[in-house]
Amino acid sequence: MLPLTTSPTHEIQSQIVQVGTTASQLPHSASQLPPPALPTSTDQMVTRSKSGIKVVVNGAAKEIGKAAIVAVTKARGMEVAGAVDSVLVGQDAGKVCAMDEALEIPIISDLTMSKAMSVVIDFTDSSTVYDNVKQVTSLVT
């Protein structure tokens, strides 16, 4: 069993290691990975926003969804473009994740309302994933 941590990024990295590979197969263990680089100025934040991978988190109000939102906001080259869940609809995703500042991205209930996306991370129930994939692919084709 993996040790409990307070770092959402480490939690996601640990889940990836647990599901996909073992720590011995990685070039470095997940705990040795450097923290993601954060922008140091407003100019860098604007550049990052314009060129980042737009990520929509489906299941955003779940613990792993919240951890994903925090990790994406800290990751270089990525930005949260949407948050979808059936609960906490209308609330700011950043505030739901207990971030210091609001992301100004409300949680919405309909995945098809998220138009500007490059990637969808789905943390919903396994019985709905297939339908979610069909919905998203219908938006891009």
Side-chain angles (χ1 to χ4, degrees):
M1 180 156 211
L2 296 171
L4 295 176
T5 67
T6 58
S7 166
T9 303
H10 185 263
E11 184 177 298
I12 290 173
Q13 291 168 342
S14 297
Q15 291 295 326
I16 292 168
V17 170
Q18 183 181 19
V19 172
T21 186
T22 64
S24 64
Q25 293 172 313
L26 295 173
H28 302 286
S29 73
S31 63
Q32 294 175 330
L33 292 173
L38 298 175
T40 56
S41 71
T42 305
D43 292 338
Q44 286 178 327
M45 292 174 87
V46 170
T47 303
R48 180 175 144 209
S49 176
K50 288 180 182 176
S51 64
I53 297 169
K54 297 178 185 323
V55 178
V56 172
V57 178
N58 194 13
K62 294 182 177 189
E63 288 303 312
I64 192 70
K66 293 177 196 178
I69 288 171
V70 171
V72 168
T73 60
K74 292 180 179 181
R76 189 177 23 197
M78 299 173 79
E79 67 175 294
V80 177
V84 182
D85 209 305
S86 59
V87 297
L88 305 177
V89 175
Q91 294 189 36
D92 183 85
K95 292 297 182 184
V96 168
C97 296
M99 298 175 71
D100 292 335
E101 294 183 25
L103 292 177
E104 298 182 13
I105 298 171
I107 294 179
I108 59 174
S109 61
D110 185 1
L111 183 58
T112 60
M113 297 289 290
S114 299
K115 303 275 185 199
M117 65 180 99
S118 304
V119 173
V120 174
I121 303 173
D122 196 306
F123 293 115
T124 60
D125 187 74
S126 60
S127 64
T128 63
V129 171
Y130 180 72
D131 289 334
N132 294 342
V133 170
K134 286 180 10 183
Q135 285 180 358
V136 171
T137 56
S138 71
L139 295 174
V140 294
T141 56

